[in-house]
Amino acid sequence: MPLTKAEWLALEKKAHELRLLTLDTTHWAGSGHIGGGLSVLDIMTVLYHKYMHIDVKNPQWEDRDRFILSKGHAAVAYAPLLCDLGFNDKEMLKTFNLTNSKMGMHLDSNKIVGVDASTGSLGHGLSIAVGTALAARVLGKDYKTYVVLGDGECDEGSNWEAAMSAAHYKVTNMIAFVDRNKCMIDGKTEDVMRLEPLADKWRSFGFIVKEIDGNNIKEICEAVDFALANETDSPVMILSNTVKGCGIDFMEGDYTWHYGSIDDDTYEKAKESLNKTYEQRVARAEKEAE
């Protein structure tokens, strides 16, 4: 599905609105995993607002596409997206991660409508996604499963067991992403536990790898189109180079914002930066759109 200029601008607008809502949620909570939430938000925006077949009025629809946020700590961005879609009341965001709230730091699929899998214990999402994809095959369903891993999460060995299974069983109805922001809680990924050559690793496990700028709406759409058109027996991994804290200048690329606290002054500075970033992204879309 080629991306039109109108679609591109609409997706930029929605991604900006969700970044602002993610900032609000972090502010209301007092803290949150805002860095990784902002890095993955463009991918989630594109999937939910352009590609995924879902029904807000029927969240358990058997034929819906599935989404697994394996890097479950990015819920501070995922929860705003689900509320904005209408799965849950936006007022719930004001209690995010607070005592007795249904919205914890990692979203519980038994408590939050629209969540296909409870995640947060890293390294499990890809295994779950392989399972849901295989279930579709067994049931004769044509739904797709989308899964997003964190790059630091790729240190977990269970991911590579799932990767072997995906390739062996030819799980081509699953489309996987790695949010490659190159930062994790304790530092840069290459300092903590070197991942490179990451693309070659996925290829060696039997995946077709598509490398993109994961904060570029157009490139994300082109990559999803590429994966959906895949007629081989190999699953697709979209290796998405992103920026930690994307959109907030003083957070960008800084691993110390893996988890951070937002006071009133920081909130205002962050909001100003997000607005400037949005203007720049709209200008790029206006210039580059066909």
Side-chain angles (χ1 to χ4, degrees):
M1 291 183 286
L3 183 69
T4 67
K5 181 178 179 179
E7 284 181 310
W8 190 348
L9 290 171
L11 288 168
E12 291 287 5
K13 183 175 185 292
K14 179 54 65 177
H16 176 57
E17 291 171 352
L18 291 173
R19 280 191 164 85
L20 291 173
L21 195 52
T22 296
L23 176 63
D24 285 341
T25 303
T26 308
H27 188 217
W28 292 325
S31 60
H33 294 87
I34 188 170
L38 293 175
S39 67
V40 76
L41 198 47
D42 291 307
I43 294 170
M44 295 196 297
T45 300
V46 167
L47 291 179
Y48 273 91
H49 286 275
K50 181 170 170 62
Y51 289 98
M52 288 178 58
H53 296 98
I54 55 175
D55 184 351
V56 173
K57 294 181 180 179
N58 183 14
Q60 294 301 316
W61 178 37
E62 289 185 359
D63 294 321
R64 74 189 185 280
D65 288 337
R66 271 62 169 177
F67 177 77
I68 313 295
L69 182 64
S70 189
K71 49 171 289 180
H73 53 281
V76 74
Y78 189 30
L81 182 147
L82 292 174
C83 289
D84 182 71
L85 284 166
F87 280 113
N88 302 275
D89 188 344
K90 280 188 179 182
E91 287 296 306
M92 294 173 67
L93 297 174
K94 294 180 180 179
T95 69
F96 184 86
N97 201 42
L98 301 182
T99 303
N100 296 323
S101 174
K102 289 185 178 181
M103 284 193 168
M105 187 64 70
H106 306 91
L107 299 184
D108 186 332
S109 62
N110 293 313
K111 297 179 180 179
I112 305 302
V113 181
V115 177
D116 288 312
S118 303
T119 57
S121 181
L122 296 175
H124 297 167
L126 188 59
S127 296
I128 297 170
V130 171
T132 61
L134 287 173
R137 181 184 300 172
V138 171
L139 295 170
K141 302 287 188 180
D142 62 0
Y143 67 76
K144 297 292 188 293
T145 295
Y146 297 89
V147 58
V148 179
L149 287 68
D151 51 3
E153 180 183 7
C154 291
D155 288 344
E156 298 281 355
S158 52
N159 283 309
W160 303 104
E161 295 179 55
M164 285 191 289
S165 297
H168 179 78
Y169 292 109
K170 302 181 175 72
V171 185
T172 56
N173 58 343
M174 176 191 77
I175 298 173
F177 297 78
V178 171
D179 179 27
R180 184 73 169 111
N181 61 36
K182 302 177 178 65
C183 296
M184 51 200 300
I185 191 168
D186 291 326
K188 298 286 187 178
T189 57
E190 301 312 286
D191 294 332
V192 177
M193 181 67 73
R194 188 171 65 251
L195 290 170
E196 294 299 338
L198 187 56
D200 289 343
K201 286 184 172 71
W202 286 105
R203 290 189 186 101
S204 72
F205 274 76
F207 280 70
I208 298 170
V209 177
K210 181 79 169 175
E211 295 190 70
I212 65 167
D213 176 350
N215 294 128
N216 183 309
I217 297 291
K218 184 179 181 181
E219 290 195 25
I220 298 168
C221 291
E222 290 173 345
V224 176
D225 287 340
F226 170 84
L228 290 172
N230 175 32
E231 295 183 350
T232 75
D233 289 334
S234 300
V236 174
M237 169 57 73
I238 301 173
L239 191 54
S240 309
N241 292 293
T242 61
V243 176
K244 195 90 164 181
C246 182
I248 300 179
D249 52 10
F250 60 85
M251 293 185 189
E252 290 189 337
D254 184 351
Y255 76 85
T256 63
W257 278 103
H258 177 87
Y259 184 92
S261 175
I262 303 290
D263 58 20
D264 290 344
D265 184 55
T266 304
Y267 172 83
E268 293 301 329
K269 291 178 180 177
K271 188 174 182 179
E272 181 180 355
S273 183
L274 285 175
N275 289 331
K276 288 181 180 178
T277 298
Y278 175 56
E279 292 176 2
Q280 294 167 356
R281 290 176 63 142
V282 167
R284 180 179 66 183
E286 292 280 4
K287 181 180 179 181
E288 297 180 10
E290 297 178 359

